[in-house]
Amino acid sequence: MDTIFGRNKEEHPEPIKAEVQGQLPPWLQGILLRNGPGMHTIGDTKYNHWFDGLALLHSFTFKNGEVYYRSKYLRSDAYNCNIEANRIVVSEFGTMAYPDPCKNIFAKAFSYLSHTIPEFTDNCLINIMKTGDDFYATSETNFIRKINPQTLETLEKADYSKYVAVNVATSHPHYDSAGNILNMGTSIVDKGKTKYVLFKIPASVPSVPEKEKKKSCLKHLEVVCSIPSRSLLHPSYYHSFGITENYIVFVEQPFKLDIVKMATAYIRGVNWASCLTYHKEDKTWFHFVDKKTKKEVSTKFYTDAMVFFHHVNAYEEDGHIIFDIIAYTDNSLYDLFYLKNLNKNFEENSKLTSIPICKRFVVPLQYDKDAEVGSNLVTLPSTATAVKEKDGSIYCQPEILCEGIELPRINYDYNGKKYKYIFATEVQWSPVPMKIVKFNTQTKEMLHWGEDHSWPSEPIFVPSPDAREEDDGVVLTCIVTSDPKKAPFLLVLDAKTFKELGRATVDVEIHLDLHGMFVPEKDLKTETE
């Protein structure tokens, strides 16, 4: 199994100058910082799943028309322990690791006991988060890892659970206009309750002496509110959540973690991923929390069973909350990324059994309480419906915006507001994106960019400094090539026309990544600060 997925990638910690073709906009100054799995074999051991690989950070730095590439493995405790042992000794979600058989029997018995609520990995391979002036590599465990965005050096490890009672947290936080972070995590059977916790990390702490500022943002983390899980031992899995001007949007899907199975997984010799189950006969529940009162809207809104990972955006209009997500009818997506399925012929063999669908739900928060049972309460022009049931709950059906897109991004200045454009990868039935698209949610028009043997990453929109319209700016995507004769490159598209402005080619192998962010030059501390 030596496809582009399973091959270990070399790191390139020293900057490599890329060859630039075309015209990059002179205002594009800063760093595109991205994260994803880069090493899947350690000694004689292999990870089972592509999402388990050790985190490899990489970046493209734009400086005065020149572009520099670098990459560096996150020096997590997981990385260091595995490399030192020359085998996988730290468990990941899809791969359970066992202690070295040479270790004495007492240590072995002890580690069995300590695995009940597992000590999770700090292999933060999913995304990058900005907290004040600091940057962290993140995944979905309680650990995040501070990094230097310029050198990609790994700094200290931080643990959410020291500041808030969560065992897992999302890798898709939201930022408000002041730079404060909102994120969610699950608190599992804490004081007899399982709940979804919304917490806020301030962007700055004004009244703190300089020397203490370093650790202050996380130390001042505050819980905004919590939503009780519908089930004590089967909390919902979620990868992201939504936000509007006044509300938090949380979707409790019937894709659930089985806590009892998780606690015994180690002893049973199975991975934690096997403890995730999709209950297709269950409903999917919508929760809306008022940001000001911190109270949940009392009406029960629900839809049919679905599995989803990514919220696109959400906003309010005329007493309704409108939110867009990318959903599946089953959980085949995760299974496709087991490395045994990503073999030489995976493009023919690996087929999703459910295509991703971009769904728009229109939820009437303010509706006529005397409306008849069976009536549609949506008063906006949309094919989405919200029907009042006998018991007072409201059954929502979405409008289908489009099919076959994933890894959605927007102009983040429009986050939580009425918006037009989604930038995404096009996936159809194969798990690997072949194109990137710009989709207009209002006209349903779709623009594409694609090239033979080219696999694009999540497209990131960067607004131009004098932007007037939502699509004034550029779209950046890293292109990995499946043709050994073609070097990988960073592509820069005009976000309006979706035509190529330029590309920066590097003559080293780059890895397929997951998520990341563009950091404008003004947000980077100079080395002396």
Side-chain angles (χ1 to χ4, degrees):
M1 164 45 228
D2 192 30
T3 61
I4 197 155
F5 286 96
R7 260 202 309 277
N8 284 357
K9 305 299 180 290
E10 267 179 60
E11 61 177 5
H12 300 281
E14 294 306 315
I16 294 168
K17 190 173 175 184
E19 186 193 328
V20 177
Q21 290 161 285
Q23 249 354 86
L24 305 186
W27 55 262
L28 187 62
Q29 307 273 339
I31 299 178
L32 176 68
L33 193 54
R34 297 189 54 80
N35 199 350
M39 188 187 297
H40 290 89
T41 305
I42 300 155
D44 298 331
T45 57
K46 277 189 164 69
Y47 287 113
N48 297 328
H49 200 279
W50 186 65
F51 297 160
D52 292 341
L54 292 173
L56 180 55
L57 301 163
H58 64 165
S59 66
F60 286 90
T61 301
F62 299 84
K63 208 173 170 77
N64 308 327
E66 296 185 332
V67 180
Y68 295 90
Y69 176 77
R70 59 170 89 199
S71 64
K72 198 167 167 61
Y73 279 100
L74 185 74
R75 296 307 198 265
S76 58
D77 295 355
Y79 175 96
N80 292 333
C81 293
N82 289 336
I83 296 295
E84 195 183 341
N86 196 31
R87 57 191 280 274
I88 297 166
V89 290
V90 178
S91 297
E92 297 294 333
F93 196 65
T95 308
M96 189 62 85
Y98 290 90
D100 198 325
C102 321
K103 298 273 197 313
N104 71 44
I105 193 75
F106 173 74
K108 212 167 175 180
F110 180 73
S111 68
Y112 270 116
L113 296 171
S114 66
H115 264 77
T116 321
I117 283 284
E119 163 75 6
F120 283 127
T121 172
D122 68 336
N123 176 29
C124 302
L125 80 153
I126 300 180
N127 207 348
I128 307 289
M129 174 171 86
K130 181 177 191 297
T131 310
D133 291 333
D134 296 330
F135 292 85
Y136 288 88
T138 65
S139 67
E140 296 187 318
T141 73
N142 51 305
F143 293 116
I144 56 177
R145 204 78 212 217
K146 195 160 150 183
I147 57 164
N148 176 323
Q150 275 126 326
T151 62
L152 306 184
E153 215 178 336
T154 304
L155 306 167
E156 61 267 24
K157 174 162 94 166
D159 179 356
Y160 279 138
S161 66
K162 284 202 167 73
Y163 311 101
V164 55
V166 295
N167 308 81
V168 291
T170 92
S171 217
H172 288 287
H174 282 279
Y175 303 87
D176 67 15
S177 52
N180 301 306
I181 287 177
L182 277 172
N183 201 3
M184 287 190 73
T186 305
S187 176
I188 298 169
V189 200
D190 177 50
K191 305 187 177 68
K193 289 189 172 62
T194 294
K195 50 187 191 282
Y196 311 111
V197 181
L198 180 77
F199 57 91
K200 177 178 167 177
I201 304 170
S204 62
V205 185
S207 55
V208 177
E210 259 319 303
K211 62 176 191 293
E212 285 171 39
K213 268 216 165 100
K214 281 279 167 271
K215 290 184 181 151
S216 57
C217 287
L218 276 168
K219 275 216 172 96
H220 291 81
L221 179 151
E222 56 183 277
V223 171
V224 176
C225 67
S226 58
I227 298 167
S229 165
R230 292 183 69 83
S231 157
L232 178 70
L233 296 172
H234 296 88
S236 175
Y237 168 79
Y238 53 100
H239 184 81
S240 61
F241 62 102
I243 194 166
T244 69
E245 194 188 341
N246 299 294
Y247 294 92
I248 305 296
V249 179
F250 174 65
V251 177
E252 193 173 12
Q253 60 183 347
F255 189 30
K256 299 176 182 177
L257 283 168
D258 183 320
I259 301 307
V260 176
K261 278 188 175 170
M262 275 191 91
T264 58
Y266 185 78
I267 293 164
R268 290 182 299 121
V270 299
N271 65 9
W272 289 319
S274 68
C275 310
L276 253 184
T277 32
Y278 177 46
H279 302 261
K280 58 179 182 292
E281 62 297 330
D282 284 4
K283 298 178 167 93
T284 299
W285 296 90
F286 300 159
H287 300 271
F288 304 103
V289 174
D290 185 316
K291 286 193 213 166
K292 291 188 191 68
T293 65
K294 302 180 174 37
K295 295 272 185 291
E296 192 180 335
V297 173
S298 58
T299 311
K300 297 271 181 277
F301 297 98
Y302 72 94
T303 189
D304 301 321
M306 61 180 180
V307 171
F308 86 103
F309 301 92
H310 295 115
H311 274 265
V312 184
N313 200 2
Y315 61 94
E316 295 161 44
E317 188 174 357
D318 293 340
H320 297 69
I321 285 182
I322 294 159
F323 68 92
D324 300 340
I325 61 172
I326 292 179
Y328 298 81
T329 53
D330 64 27
N331 57 334
S332 63
L333 180 74
Y334 185 84
D335 294 340
L336 274 192
F337 283 93
Y338 276 104
L339 288 170
K340 66 176 191 296
N341 299 333
L342 296 171
N343 51 24
K344 287 274 188 288
N345 313 323
F346 78 91
E347 289 182 63
E348 288 76 62
N349 302 345
S350 292
K351 291 284 182 265
L352 288 159
T353 50
S354 148
I355 197 165
I357 296 176
C358 186
K359 296 182 170 184
R360 165 164 290 182
F361 287 94
V362 179
V363 181
L365 286 193
Q366 292 155 14
Y367 61 90
D368 175 7
K369 299 293 180 264
D370 302 323
E372 282 181 37
V373 168
S375 59
N376 174 23
L377 306 172
V378 175
T379 55
L380 293 175
S382 169
T383 53
T385 58
V387 173
K388 187 173 169 181
E389 307 274 290
K390 273 201 192 68
D391 62 1
S393 64
I394 294 173
Y395 171 52
C396 302
Q397 285 278 58
E399 172 185 342
I400 305 299
L401 292 180
C402 64
E403 295 189 343
I405 65 167
E406 247 303 356
L407 302 175
R409 295 291 291 244
I410 58 169
N411 174 343
Y412 202 78
D413 293 338
Y414 288 75
N415 188 45
K417 303 184 176 98
K418 190 167 181 173
Y419 77 115
K420 258 192 210 161
Y421 301 111
I422 302 174
F423 302 97
T425 55
E426 186 177 73
V427 281
Q428 298 302 336
W429 294 99
S430 156
V432 177
M434 299 299 169
K435 289 180 175 164
I436 53 169
V437 299
K438 173 191 183 183
F439 178 72
N440 183 327
T441 59
Q442 290 169 10
T443 64
K444 311 286 192 282
E445 181 194 13
M446 198 181 265
L447 299 176
H448 302 255
W449 180 92
E451 218 170 74
D452 288 349
H453 312 295
S454 298
W455 295 349
S457 70
E458 163 197 62
I460 289 188
F461 174 83
V462 184
S464 58
D466 48 1
R468 295 236 169 98
E469 293 179 314
E470 188 181 334
D471 57 353
D472 283 342
V474 296
V475 169
L476 306 178
T477 176
C478 304
I479 308 290
V480 170
T481 57
S482 53
D483 173 359
K485 294 200 244 344
K486 186 174 167 182
F489 56 95
L490 175 90
L491 176 71
V492 183
L493 297 179
D494 178 330
K496 235 184 198 7
T497 60
F498 230 53
K499 296 274 185 282
E500 179 173 339
L501 291 173
R503 57 178 67 185
T505 305
V506 285
D507 209 6
V508 295
E509 188 177 28
I510 71 174
H511 63 309
L512 289 162
D513 59 21
L514 290 167
H515 296 293
M517 62 165 52
F518 180 77
V519 186
E521 196 176 40
K522 65 172 175 26
D523 292 351
L524 292 162
K525 287 187 289 198
T526 52
E527 294 301 328
T528 51
E529 277 178 54

